[in-house]
PDB file of all heavy atoms in Angstrom:
ATOM      1  N   THR A  41      21.142   2.190 -21.064  1.00 97.00           N
ATOM      2  CA  THR A  41      20.742   3.577 -20.759  1.00 97.00           C
ATOM      3  C   THR A  41      19.209   3.703 -20.727  1.00 97.00           C
ATOM      4  O   THR A  41      18.651   4.311 -19.809  1.00 97.00           O
ATOM      5  CB  THR A  41      21.322   4.551 -21.804  1.00 97.00           C
ATOM      6  OG1 THR A  41      22.728   4.332 -21.895  1.00 97.00           O
ATOM      7  CG2 THR A  41      21.063   5.990 -21.438  1.00 97.00           C
ATOM      8  N   ILE A  42      18.542   3.117 -21.726  1.00 97.00           N
ATOM      9  CA  ILE A  42      17.074   3.211 -21.791  1.00 97.00           C
ATOM     10  C   ILE A  42      16.433   2.497 -20.599  1.00 97.00           C
ATOM     11  O   ILE A  42      15.524   3.030 -19.952  1.00 97.00           O
ATOM     12  CB  ILE A  42      16.565   2.636 -23.135  1.00 97.00           C
ATOM     13  CG1 ILE A  42      16.912   3.605 -24.263  1.00 97.00           C
ATOM     14  CG2 ILE A  42      15.054   2.386 -23.087  1.00 97.00           C
ATOM     15  CD1 ILE A  42      16.676   3.071 -25.663  1.00 97.00           C
ATOM     16  N   LEU A  43      16.927   1.301 -20.262  1.00 97.00           N
ATOM     17  CA  LEU A  43      16.348   0.560 -19.142  1.00 97.00           C
ATOM     18  C   LEU A  43      16.609   1.263 -17.805  1.00 97.00           C
ATOM     19  O   LEU A  43      15.750   1.274 -16.914  1.00 97.00           O
ATOM     20  CB  LEU A  43      16.873  -0.879 -19.127  1.00 97.00           C
ATOM     21  CG  LEU A  43      16.366  -1.739 -20.293  1.00 97.00           C
ATOM     22  CD1 LEU A  43      17.024  -3.110 -20.279  1.00 97.00           C
ATOM     23  CD2 LEU A  43      14.843  -1.896 -20.261  1.00 97.00           C
ATOM     24  N   LEU A  44      17.806   1.872 -17.673  1.00 97.00           N
ATOM     25  CA  LEU A  44      18.105   2.628 -16.439  1.00 97.00           C
ATOM     26  C   LEU A  44      17.185   3.842 -16.319  1.00 97.00           C
ATOM     27  O   LEU A  44      16.711   4.160 -15.230  1.00 97.00           O
ATOM     28  CB  LEU A  44      19.570   3.076 -16.425  1.00 97.00           C
ATOM     29  CG  LEU A  44      20.600   2.032 -15.980  1.00 97.00           C
ATOM     30  CD1 LEU A  44      22.012   2.620 -16.053  1.00 97.00           C
ATOM     31  CD2 LEU A  44      20.319   1.548 -14.567  1.00 97.00           C
ATOM     32  N   LEU A  45      16.950   4.503 -17.446  1.00 97.00           N
ATOM     33  CA  LEU A  45      16.069   5.677 -17.440  1.00 97.00           C
ATOM     34  C   LEU A  45      14.641   5.262 -17.052  1.00 97.00           C
ATOM     35  O   LEU A  45      13.976   5.941 -16.263  1.00 97.00           O
ATOM     36  CB  LEU A  45      16.074   6.333 -18.823  1.00 97.00           C
ATOM     37  CG  LEU A  45      15.495   7.732 -18.930  1.00 97.00           C
ATOM     38  CD1 LEU A  45      16.282   8.715 -18.071  1.00 97.00           C
ATOM     39  CD2 LEU A  45      15.492   8.203 -20.375  1.00 97.00           C
ATOM     40  N   PHE A  46      14.200   4.127 -17.580  1.00 97.00           N
ATOM     41  CA  PHE A  46      12.859   3.620 -17.268  1.00 97.00           C
ATOM     42  C   PHE A  46      12.770   3.289 -15.773  1.00 97.00           C
ATOM     43  O   PHE A  46      11.811   3.687 -15.086  1.00 97.00           O
ATOM     44  CB  PHE A  46      12.565   2.378 -18.119  1.00 97.00           C
ATOM     45  CG  PHE A  46      11.127   1.953 -18.084  1.00 97.00           C
ATOM     46  CD1 PHE A  46      10.209   2.498 -18.976  1.00 97.00           C
ATOM     47  CD2 PHE A  46      10.670   1.026 -17.172  1.00 97.00           C
ATOM     48  CE1 PHE A  46       8.883   2.131 -18.952  1.00 97.00           C
ATOM     49  CE2 PHE A  46       9.340   0.644 -17.138  1.00 97.00           C
ATOM     50  CZ  PHE A  46       8.443   1.202 -18.033  1.00 97.00           C
ATOM     51  N   ALA A  47      13.803   2.576 -15.258  1.00 97.00           N
ATOM     52  CA  ALA A  47      13.803   2.210 -13.836  1.00 97.00           C
ATOM     53  C   ALA A  47      13.874   3.462 -12.963  1.00 97.00           C
ATOM     54  O   ALA A  47      13.224   3.529 -11.912  1.00 97.00           O
ATOM     55  CB  ALA A  47      14.993   1.300 -13.550  1.00 97.00           C
ATOM     56  N   ALA A  48      14.624   4.475 -13.408  1.00 96.00           N
ATOM     57  CA  ALA A  48      14.727   5.723 -12.637  1.00 96.00           C
ATOM     58  C   ALA A  48      13.363   6.415 -12.548  1.00 96.00           C
ATOM     59  O   ALA A  48      13.000   6.955 -11.495  1.00 96.00           O
ATOM     60  CB  ALA A  48      15.761   6.645 -13.268  1.00 96.00           C
ATOM     61  N   GLY A  49      12.596   6.368 -13.644  1.00 95.00           N
ATOM     62  CA  GLY A  49      11.255   6.959 -13.624  1.00 95.00           C
ATOM     63  C   GLY A  49      10.349   6.272 -12.608  1.00 95.00           C
ATOM     64  O   GLY A  49       9.624   6.935 -11.856  1.00 95.00           O
TER      65      GLY A  49
END
Side-chain angles (χ1 to χ4, degrees):
Chain A
T41 307
I42 288 170
L43 291 175
L44 279 179
L45 194 62
F46 193 87

